[in-house]
Amino acid sequence: MPHTTQIFQVSTLYGAATLAAALDAGLFGPRGEARRILLVSNNAAVPETALRLDEMHGYARIAGRFDSVVSWNEAIRPYHPSSWGPRGNDTVIWQRAFRLAWGIGERDRIDLAVESIQVSPGRALAAIFSEAAVHVYADGLMSYGPTRNRLPLTIGWRIRRLLHLDLIPGLTPLLLSEFGVQPEVVPDAAFRRVLDEISEDAAGDPRLAPVLAQKPTAVLLGQYLAAIDILSADEEEDLHVRMLTGAARAGHRSVVFKPHPTAPASYSAALSKAAAEAGVRLTVLDAPLLAETLYHHARPELVVGCFSTAMVTASAYYGVPVGRVGTALVMNRLKPYANSNRVPLAVVDHLVPDLERDGTPAVLGAAPASLPPLVRAIGFCMQPETYRSLREPTVAWLHEHLADSPPHYFPELRLAELGLPGSRPQARARVRVRRARRVVRRAMRRGGARK
């Protein structure tokens, strides 16, 4: 008799925690009704030198919710998880190979749960297991933005639901809505219990003790935006210093900086100098711990960041006031306009007080009425072909609100490219010149190819 096997693909501990909460809440049925495989993917640029998921606190307890754990990196070696996908004619062969390697019967039904269907490994898995129902889970602010890559209909129509954390109550994810995919919330209580499990498992970590001894009242979150070519290293270093200055201006004298795992050591050195000048006691938590583990143990009174999801979880799950620094700068630097970080930036920019403009740190509540139409308008401008139905609402919104919106939300050139309200004749002329140049370049390339 055929059985059901559920394959859960994960690459981060935060994502694994989201899946664990969904399982605990019964969103994938009762335990024992299907066989559950945890498929771990290490998507780091050099996986062999990066921290493995199984080395992080709390992983073992999360893995215990599954019947078996397998490595995607090992399964497709020597290919890289972020760049490999099967050729169209090879999908049947790969499926047979994986069913054999993972002990899945030839006739067993397969359900997939992947963290991002837009890119590999999620997209590769959906192509290989072409009959499987697909469930997408999102663990951050990007779920509120549009689908960044156009999906084949053969995949899009198989997506049953989008599981997401209710980080901003009242704001509905735009992700995958073009396929009519219904978003489903992973219950807050279940997710918080999993975060507590992870935090309790990390309680004895010696790297946490020096931080707690300093009794920090503010947490600064680094994101390492230089790694994805949004800011230069010097600009990001300055952004961290600005975070510290904002915390100091808000009255905090003991601060902990949690750098991105791949950030260079020089960032901490620059912060130390700035802290000494400001009379602030700085501690750096250079350990592979979730920011939420720090919140659990340190109980800070303020979290400062640029647009990290960990800012919003601090507010949503721990009741910590948050403040932002540098969102306008980063949004101005995003290229192309469709960069998937744009909506998270806009959400934080719209909701979180700006510490550099004397904003008072605050605990976030439900989405104000102004946020959903703003996000939909930005989403349309990012992916106009995918979300054509949003054009008329976007035009109406721009007519009514553009004059009052920060200029970094809707650059004039982007509005001109899409023929939307708010662009002057000069901008529209620049767009026409650009298009003409592209046509000439394409024609020249074709002419050269014929020779």
Side-chain angles (χ1 to χ4, degrees):
M1 178 179 176
H3 296 87
T4 297
T5 295
Q6 298 169 331
I7 301 175
F8 298 85
Q9 177 261 322
V10 66
S11 67
T12 68
L13 187 62
Y14 195 94
T18 305
L19 274 182
L23 290 172
D24 293 350
L27 301 186
F28 285 94
R31 180 85 187 250
E33 194 174 79
R35 180 183 172 216
R36 293 173 176 171
I37 296 176
L38 181 63
L39 181 62
V40 179
S41 173
N42 187 333
N43 298 340
V46 185
E48 293 79 8
T49 62
L51 180 76
R52 298 197 315 270
L53 199 57
D54 60 8
E55 296 175 315
M56 298 190 71
H57 292 294
Y59 167 81
R61 297 183 67 172
I62 289 176
R65 291 168 166 85
F66 300 87
D67 298 301
S68 59
V69 179
V70 295
S71 167
W72 181 242
N73 295 62
E74 292 293 333
I76 65 169
R77 186 180 296 274
Y79 302 105
H80 192 282
S82 297
S83 57
W84 180 80
R87 292 179 298 185
N89 295 333
D90 294 342
T91 54
V92 174
I93 296 172
W94 280 108
Q95 181 175 156
R96 287 175 181 167
F98 292 144
R99 281 179 179 267
L100 181 62
W102 300 339
I104 304 172
E106 289 185 11
R107 298 179 58 198
D108 283 7
R109 173 188 167 186
I110 292 179
D111 284 346
L112 287 174
V114 299
E115 62 188 346
S116 178
I117 193 64
Q118 306 158 81
V119 294
S120 289
R123 188 160 174 166
L125 285 163
I128 291 166
F129 295 101
S130 55
E131 306 86 7
V134 180
H135 309 264
V136 177
Y137 69 93
D139 57 16
L141 294 174
M142 284 188 183
S143 66
Y144 296 114
T147 311
R148 59 177 167 172
N149 298 324
R150 185 171 291 186
L151 290 173
L153 293 178
T154 53
I155 291 178
W157 294 122
R158 288 159 47 209
I159 302 172
R160 298 291 184 263
R161 57 183 173 168
L162 170 68
L163 296 167
H164 70 102
L165 300 172
D166 199 19
L167 297 172
I168 312 291
L171 182 61
T172 302
L174 187 56
L175 180 66
L176 299 172
S177 61
E178 67 271 27
F179 292 105
V181 174
Q182 292 301 309
E184 186 172 346
V185 171
V186 176
D188 288 347
F191 185 63
R192 178 59 196 268
R193 282 194 295 271
V194 176
L195 290 179
D196 287 347
E197 278 185 39
I198 294 170
S199 298
E200 290 162 8
D201 195 61
D205 193 312
R207 292 165 293 190
L208 193 58
V211 175
L212 302 182
Q214 298 299 328
K215 295 182 171 52
T217 59
V219 175
L220 315 180
L221 298 172
Q223 285 182 256
Y224 198 22
L225 301 172
I228 50 178
D229 297 322
I230 294 177
L231 298 180
S232 69
D234 288 343
E235 286 172 329
E236 185 161 26
E237 196 172 33
D238 180 63
L239 183 63
H240 296 154
V241 171
R242 288 164 58 189
M243 290 179 188
L244 184 138
T245 303
R249 191 184 300 119
H252 296 270
R253 290 293 173 265
S254 182
V255 172
V256 57
F257 174 59
K258 188 178 186 308
H260 188 279
T262 57
S266 60
Y267 283 6
S268 301
L271 263 183
S272 297
K273 182 175 181 294
E277 293 172 351
V280 172
R281 184 169 62 246
L282 173 71
T283 313
V284 177
L285 179 60
D286 190 10
L289 301 172
L290 290 180
E292 290 73 18
T293 296
L294 180 58
Y295 305 154
H296 177 98
H297 291 286
R299 306 292 179 185
E301 299 167 11
L302 170 67
V303 171
V304 184
C306 184
F307 67 103
S308 170
T309 294
M311 295 172 64
V312 185
T313 58
S315 179
Y317 299 114
Y318 296 87
V320 182
V322 292
R324 64 178 168 89
V325 170
T327 50
L329 168 67
V330 176
M331 194 177 288
N332 275 324
R333 296 294 179 83
L334 286 186
K335 292 182 181 179
Y337 187 86
N339 188 301
S340 55
N341 290 300
R342 191 168 298 278
V343 164
L345 270 161
V347 168
V348 171
D349 190 83
H350 195 73
L351 294 181
V352 179
D354 187 345
L355 287 187
E356 295 184 305
R357 298 195 174 210
D358 298 321
T360 302
V363 175
L364 307 180
S370 57
L371 184 59
L374 169 65
V375 168
R376 288 195 294 271
I378 293 175
F380 169 76
C381 292
M382 290 172 67
Q383 300 291 348
E385 294 300 316
T386 302
Y387 299 92
R388 294 182 183 183
S389 63
L390 294 180
R391 184 177 182 86
E392 287 187 17
T394 299
V395 169
W397 189 93
L398 290 170
H399 275 305
E400 187 174 353
H401 299 287
L402 181 61
D404 303 321
S405 298
H408 50 270
Y409 284 6
F410 301 96
E412 186 181 12
L413 201 58
R414 185 60 175 175
L415 296 177
E417 288 172 345
L418 300 178
L420 293 171
S423 61
R424 293 169 296 179
Q426 301 95 312
R428 293 193 289 274
R430 286 176 61 191
V431 169
R432 287 194 293 271
V433 169
R434 283 185 176 185
R435 287 173 177 165
R437 286 174 175 168
R438 283 199 293 267
V439 170
V440 170
R441 284 196 295 267
R442 281 197 294 267
M444 292 177 67
R445 284 197 295 269
R446 289 195 195 102
R450 290 193 189 101
K451 292 178 182 178

